[in-house]
Amino acid sequence: MAKTVSLADALFMKLEAQIRSGDMAPGTRMPTQKDIAEQQRVSRTVVREAMARLEAQGLTVARQGSGVFVSNDAAFQAFQIARHEITELADIVRLLEVRLSVEAEMAAFAAARRTLDDIAAMRGALHDMAAVADDAVASAAADTRLHMAIARATQNDTFVKLIEFLGVRLVPPRSLYLRNQPPHAQQAYVEKVRAEHEAIVDAIVRMNPAGARDAARHHMQESLSRHTELSQTMNLLSRN
């Protein structure tokens, strides 16, 4: 299934790529909105939206009476994953590949450093996941709280910031994986994911870093395998 990208999204990504690659060097004056609209054959409204996003992300800066210029710090802007970049299974697979190693080590650090308060937070999130298992949105929110509790248990604020940054991108939407699946398949999926999470928390509670690392890696690998297989299947179907 092809990803739907708005004209503004497409233009933003094109201009962003030119800036980050150095094709538009720091200090370069950007073409006027009129010129961009004519060159790209889009409306001025599309250009305004794309340009506003470039400025909001610090990639460009407007100078009164002079125009818009590529920021001198454009090459050093923070890594970002926008919501519109995580809409299809292929996007989720790419993010899961990155999370695989991060989540495993995060769990190991959590097992070595967790406190009683951390245990209570993790168990509370597990309880909430079970209580709202039939509600995909609420379950995803509880899932995110569990990962946040594990991040806090590392006593490392960088892990916490990373999980906060991922936010809604952290938990793949269940609907993408379970689309067109019967109720019994959905229930089996929920129970499997819950068991994987419980194994991670159990190892953290027992202060077993190696066990926590293995459990977290297993969970992420299973999720990666599930979504990769489905993505490949859907790609094949879309070609037929």
Side-chain angles (χ1 to χ4, degrees):
M1 180 182 297
K3 183 195 302 186
T4 301
V5 178
S6 72
L7 291 174
D9 286 341
L11 179 58
F12 165 78
M13 288 186 285
K14 184 174 183 178
L15 295 173
E16 179 192 33
Q18 291 175 342
I19 291 172
R20 293 194 186 281
S21 68
D23 288 345
M24 288 186 181
T28 300
R29 187 179 186 278
M30 298 285 291
T32 65
Q33 291 187 11
K34 179 177 180 293
D35 288 341
I36 294 176
E38 291 176 351
Q39 293 167 5
Q40 302 300 324
R41 297 183 180 179
V42 295
S43 70
R44 293 282 291 274
T45 300
V46 168
V47 177
R48 279 196 296 272
E49 183 177 338
M51 293 293 287
R53 287 172 59 184
L54 289 174
E55 185 171 0
Q57 292 197 15
L59 294 171
T60 62
V61 58
R63 297 175 185 169
Q64 187 68 33
S66 299
V68 178
F69 295 80
V70 176
S71 170
N72 289 329
D73 298 324
F76 307 102
Q77 294 304 309
F79 167 73
Q80 297 190 38
I81 303 174
R83 289 194 185 197
H84 71 268
E85 296 177 294
I86 306 295
T87 58
E88 296 293 332
L89 281 166
D91 305 321
I92 291 171
V93 168
R94 285 189 285 270
L95 181 55
L96 287 172
E97 288 178 345
V98 174
R99 287 181 54 202
L100 182 61
S101 58
V102 173
E103 295 270 354
E105 294 308 313
M106 186 171 78
F109 282 119
R113 302 170 180 172
R114 96 291 185 276
T115 66
L116 293 178
D117 287 342
D118 293 324
I119 293 174
M122 285 183 276
R123 284 179 169 162
L126 280 176
H127 176 272
D128 291 346
M129 287 176 67
V132 298
D134 294 335
D135 185 330
V137 175
S139 181
D143 194 333
T144 300
R145 289 198 299 276
L146 173 60
H147 287 277
M148 179 57 71
I150 294 173
R152 291 198 176 103
T154 67
Q155 316 307 323
N156 182 331
D157 287 343
T158 301
F159 277 119
V160 175
K161 290 177 181 178
L162 175 60
I163 300 304
E164 286 178 337
F165 165 72
L166 290 173
V168 296
R169 311 164 188 85
L170 184 67
V171 181
R174 188 192 303 175
S175 59
L176 277 176
Y177 177 70
L178 294 175
R179 62 179 71 176
N180 303 320
Q181 295 293 312
H184 67 83
Q186 298 189 31
Q187 182 61 33
Y189 173 85
V190 169
E191 292 176 357
K192 181 175 178 58
V193 171
R194 182 166 62 239
E196 292 170 4
H197 282 134
E198 288 175 347
I200 299 171
V201 173
D202 180 64
I204 292 174
V205 170
R206 290 186 290 105
M207 300 194 78
N208 180 355
R213 180 185 294 111
D214 289 344
R217 179 172 290 277
H218 173 72
H219 169 55
M220 294 307 306
Q221 187 62 64
E222 286 292 298
S223 184
L224 176 58
S225 297
R226 289 190 290 263
H227 288 86
T228 298
E229 181 179 357
L230 183 58
S231 179
Q232 292 171 343
T233 298
M234 294 185 68
N235 284 338
L236 287 174
L237 291 174
S238 67
R239 295 171 187 167
N240 297 332

